[in-house]
Amino acid sequence: MSAPPLLEVENLRIDLLGDDRRHAAVEGVSFRIGRGETFGLVGESGCGKSITALSIMGLLRHPLAIGGGAIRLEGQEIQSLPPGQIRRLRGSRIAMIFQEPMTALNPLSPVGRQIAEMFVLHQGAGWSEAGDRAVEALRQVRVPSPERRVKDYPHQLSGGMRQRVMIAIALACGPDLLVADEPTTALDVTVQAEIVDLMRELCAANGTAILMISHDLGLVANICRRVAVMYAGRVVEEQAADAIFRQPQHPYTQGLVASLPLLGGRAAHGRRRLAEIAGTVPAISAYPAGCRFNPRCDRATDVCRVEDPAATPLGDGGLVRCHHHG
Amino acid sequence: MPLLILRRLGNTVPTIVAVVLVIFTLFSVIPGSFTSAGDDGRVLDAQVAERMRKELGLDDPLHVRFGSYVANLVQGDLGTSFRTREPVTKVIAQRLWPSLKLTIAAMGFAILVGVPLGFIAALRPGSLIDMASMVVAISGLSLPKFWLGLMLMYLFALTLGWLPSFGYGDGGLRHLILPAVALGVSPMALLARTTRAGVLDVLNADFVRTARSKGMSEYRVVRWHVVRNALVLVLTTIGLQFGSLMGQAVVVEKLFSWPGLGSLLVDSVFQRDIPTVQGSILVIVLFFLAINTLVDIAYVIIDPRIRYG
């Protein structure tokens, strides 16, 4: 038997607890991430990708709670660990960066101190040593004149600089896994590429695996080896990144690929409307019976409206969840 | 920083001018005067009244009286009390220290009880202690001060005999406790509520989620990231309450026969001792402005965004 993967999510279910009933916000989600691997989780807002990330961090708050399944870090189940133990994993072995670098940093604390906290928390460093190392951490994420910048407050930095600080915090203790929840969505397009490159480069150098969460299939496919597509709380397709572009199997994935603007497309094919997927994601309390995509799917038949499609394995370890895939 | 303080002080000048104007006109147009006010049943001989009005300058036209009032004011002269014939500044000076003592003690009580109460309630929302503290807060806000003062007197002075029921005594702590609590309960309740709301607000902030994702214990999350941010919100309430407390003290001072500005103000109003009334109100307003200026300076120290903004 081979060594267990770095992260294994198996049949994960996340419940949204209501007053008298619970709704499964995420159901039957499984994927594995190997050491140093880059894995992408793609879907529209509300499909459950962010709460999947938070559940891995053990950061779900009421009314959300893990309702079943397992999250394993190198074979050890972490979703049932007592709070004190999962806390020690956070930051040191699994770290996270968030979408909004403006609000994700404490406005009343200098950024150097916010980085230094990591060394104090996880490596027992004193504040002055931690402060010196914070300067180094800022230098690593290529913030110019880090000796001066450590004393700055978040509002004195640009969005891109703040996200660099977030990366410095996340990678401070050399984690095994970096969970990046829409890390570039709030940034200017020109800064996005810099941040993605920086993340990828630093993680590659340290052997840190990345779980990249985004609504941007193009971005994810670019930097991730494997991609899972989520829709309405389920993984509807998982494949290698290049395969998902060449041969998307699920009608939803096909819709996503078709809706990507193609650089130079207008020159090659003339002026053309971008394809879109009609309709919107259903609310958690109103998931349709059968396949959850059926109301928006042009291939839907009677069976789609009644029977939830099972996962069909694909060649390279991937899967698709559709009655009419291909 | 010194520049900012100077600028902030400059901002209070128009307020002071407006207040002086309002105080003066208000007490010049209300009916009744020192010579006619007779709630003690005294009736003045018409000739005596006529002479007193002349002496006190009550018959001068409004603009003449305002002119001399302002002229005296800028020299630090608040006029002469009709009643005691002493300079108002001296009358007020005697009352200022007891008033300050009461206000500070009441605010100290409000902060020391209200802020921790709100904090604990926010950290355990929905718990027994949360509900209990909010019951205390609602009651504290809705109970009238004089009723609360009477109840305190009844319980701690009459029934238990632990504390004196009223008066200034030798100015010691024992006489201070009951009026300070009676005065401090409503700002305490308000502080508990705003602290709770503020802390809950901060606990939901993104940077608190970041702090948790760093692997911090809840204690450290609160110590390192919540307290300071919540303090900014609480500070506003502290400032407003503290500033207005001296004015609110009127009822409590009267009830406990506390020789402060509040009871001086009430007595002077009944006797139409206008210079003393005007002086007392002016001092209370200046106190309010001073506290708010201090709060603004405290903001600058706590929140770096204001310093550079």
Side-chain angles (χ1 to χ4, degrees):
Chain A
M1 196 182 143
S2 61
L6 176 67
L7 180 80
E8 183 177 20
V9 173
E10 192 184 332
N11 216 5
L12 179 69
R13 176 189 159 111
I14 298 174
D15 284 329
L16 176 67
L17 307 173
D19 284 337
D20 46 354
R21 51 179 307 190
R22 50 180 59 201
H23 301 286
V26 164
E27 205 176 358
V29 165
S30 303
F31 56 86
R32 293 156 162 243
I33 305 176
R35 280 203 155 270
E37 198 180 53
T38 49
F39 189 91
L41 205 52
V42 179
E44 288 170 83
S45 331
C47 71
K49 54 194 196 303
S50 283
I51 59 174
T52 302
L54 287 175
S55 73
I56 294 168
M57 294 296 291
L59 286 176
L60 288 180
R61 316 267 304 162
H62 186 81
L64 290 164
I66 292 180
I71 300 167
R72 297 191 194 93
L73 190 66
E74 294 193 313
Q76 187 198 14
E77 283 204 11
I78 57 172
Q79 89 279 9
S80 51
L81 282 181
Q85 284 186 39
I86 192 160
R87 199 169 67 218
R88 273 190 279 282
L89 297 179
R90 285 206 288 266
S92 65
R93 297 199 60 199
I94 318 175
M96 184 158 180
I97 51 183
F98 300 93
Q99 177 172 352
E100 270 295 339
M102 179 72 226
T103 53
L105 290 167
N106 183 348
L108 302 188
S109 178
V111 294
R113 147 102 199 192
Q114 298 189 53
I115 301 171
E117 282 173 0
M118 296 298 284
F119 303 119
V120 174
L121 282 169
H122 295 290
Q123 298 172 354
W127 280 111
S128 76
E129 183 205 340
D132 295 340
R133 291 174 65 184
V135 175
E136 273 321 296
L138 269 192
R139 199 188 310 279
Q140 283 237 315
V141 294
R142 289 188 219 119
V143 169
S145 47
E147 310 80 9
R148 282 216 321 272
R149 286 301 190 178
V150 282
K151 296 190 198 85
D152 279 0
Y153 290 88
H155 71 276
Q156 293 167 287
L157 302 176
S158 67
M161 282 298 155
R162 280 187 217 122
Q163 202 59 301
R164 282 169 200 267
V165 171
M166 282 303 294
I167 294 173
I169 291 173
L171 298 182
C173 296
D176 296 321
L177 175 68
L178 174 67
V179 180
D181 186 4
E182 305 258 11
T184 61
T185 308
L187 302 177
D188 288 344
V189 184
T190 46
V191 184
Q192 286 183 3
E194 285 171 35
I195 294 293
V196 167
D197 287 344
L198 180 72
M199 243 172 63
R200 205 160 43 163
E201 190 190 312
L202 291 177
C203 286
N206 297 324
T208 301
I210 301 178
L211 171 58
M212 179 81 162
I213 291 162
S214 179
H215 65 274
D216 185 347
L217 182 63
L219 170 82
V220 166
N222 246 326
I223 63 169
C224 296
R225 204 176 66 79
R226 296 189 67 77
V227 177
V229 178
M230 282 187 80
Y231 183 80
R234 283 181 172 283
V235 171
V236 293
E237 178 166 1
E238 184 197 325
Q239 283 210 70
D242 52 342
I244 227 161
F245 255 110
R246 277 184 289 109
Q247 292 157 332
Q249 296 291 309
H250 195 281
Y252 178 62
T253 320
Q254 290 163 0
L256 284 183
V257 172
S259 67
L260 286 174
L262 192 68
L263 196 62
R266 199 164 141 186
H269 307 286
R271 195 178 176 138
R272 205 170 53 155
R273 271 185 76 92
L274 272 178
E276 55 184 291
I277 305 173
T280 53
V281 184
I284 288 168
S285 52
Y287 283 157
C291 172
R292 287 174 180 175
F293 188 56
N294 85 68
R296 299 173 71 184
C297 183
D298 50 13
R299 258 187 267 169
T301 56
D302 286 343
V303 64
C304 301
R305 284 182 266 275
V306 183
E307 198 183 317
D308 200 5
T312 312
L314 296 173
D316 65 339
L319 65 86
V320 62
R321 207 183 278 272
C322 177
H323 293 295
H324 310 290
H325 65 84
Chain B
M1 184 82 169
L3 196 79
L4 191 124
I5 295 171
L6 219 65
R7 208 166 52 199
R8 185 62 192 73
L9 282 174
N11 286 347
T12 61
V13 172
T15 318
I16 295 172
V17 170
V19 165
V20 167
L21 258 171
V22 170
I23 293 175
F24 182 83
T25 23
L26 208 59
F27 287 103
S28 304
V29 298
I30 52 164
S33 77
F34 182 61
T35 50
S36 69
D39 64 302
D40 51 358
R42 77 201 146 113
V43 180
L44 283 182
D45 180 79
Q47 272 182 333
V48 176
E50 176 68 26
R51 209 186 63 219
M52 281 176 71
R53 294 165 68 81
K54 250 199 191 94
E55 237 172 71
L56 298 173
L58 292 181
D59 286 336
D60 291 343
L62 195 62
H63 64 272
V64 174
R65 278 186 285 149
F66 185 66
S68 63
Y69 175 66
V70 172
N72 289 334
L73 198 60
V74 292
Q75 297 171 49
D77 181 2
L78 291 170
T80 308
S81 164
F82 291 168
R83 194 156 41 114
T84 63
R85 299 295 168 99
E86 282 177 317
V88 172
T89 41
K90 193 178 152 202
V91 178
I92 287 177
Q94 288 164 353
R95 301 296 191 107
L96 194 60
W97 176 232
S99 242
L100 275 175
K101 215 156 72 172
L102 180 60
T103 310
I104 291 168
M107 204 56 214
F109 167 78
I111 293 172
L112 289 179
V113 177
V115 173
L117 209 61
F119 237 102
I120 296 167
L123 295 180
R124 300 267 176 279
S127 68
L128 203 65
I129 190 154
D130 179 23
M131 287 189 274
S133 66
M134 284 310 108
V135 168
V136 169
I138 302 264
S139 338
L141 275 176
S142 43
L143 295 178
K145 282 188 191 23
F146 70 89
W147 183 86
L148 193 77
L150 283 175
M151 288 300 117
L152 287 173
M153 268 184 202
Y154 179 75
L155 183 65
F156 291 101
L158 291 183
T159 310
L160 296 170
W162 291 353
L163 293 165
S165 55
F166 68 92
Y168 189 65
D170 54 359
L173 191 64
R174 278 168 50 80
H175 283 82
L176 184 59
I177 293 176
L178 287 187
V181 170
L183 183 60
V185 159
S186 100
M188 179 274 281
L190 200 68
L191 267 179
R193 286 189 67 86
T194 33
T195 306
R196 179 179 184 272
V199 171
L200 279 179
D201 214 39
V202 175
L203 279 174
N204 278 325
D206 282 355
F207 64 81
V208 169
R209 192 181 54 185
T210 306
R212 291 196 178 111
S213 82
K214 288 170 161 181
M216 244 175 248
S217 62
E218 273 306 292
Y219 171 76
R220 281 209 167 119
V221 170
V222 171
R223 250 315 284 282
W224 289 358
H225 293 281
V226 175
V227 172
R228 214 174 149 97
N229 279 282
L231 200 62
V232 177
L233 302 170
V234 174
L235 204 60
T236 315
T237 312
I238 292 182
L240 287 174
Q241 286 297 306
F242 203 169
S244 61
L245 214 52
M246 202 178 255
Q248 288 178 35
V250 172
V251 175
V252 171
E253 284 185 8
K254 201 67 195 146
L255 183 68
F256 284 91
S257 303
W258 190 263
L261 277 177
S263 45
L264 176 69
L265 183 59
V266 175
D267 294 342
S268 308
V269 167
F270 279 129
Q271 302 181 339
R272 299 291 191 275
D273 185 356
I274 305 300
T276 313
V277 172
Q278 289 171 333
S280 312
I281 293 180
L282 190 63
V283 169
I284 289 172
V285 169
L286 286 179
F287 177 75
F288 184 88
L289 289 176
I291 293 291
N292 274 287
T293 307
L294 283 179
V295 166
D296 282 353
I297 293 166
Y299 274 138
V300 176
I301 294 168
I302 294 178
D303 194 334
R305 284 169 296 185
I306 296 174
R307 194 174 310 164
Y308 302 97

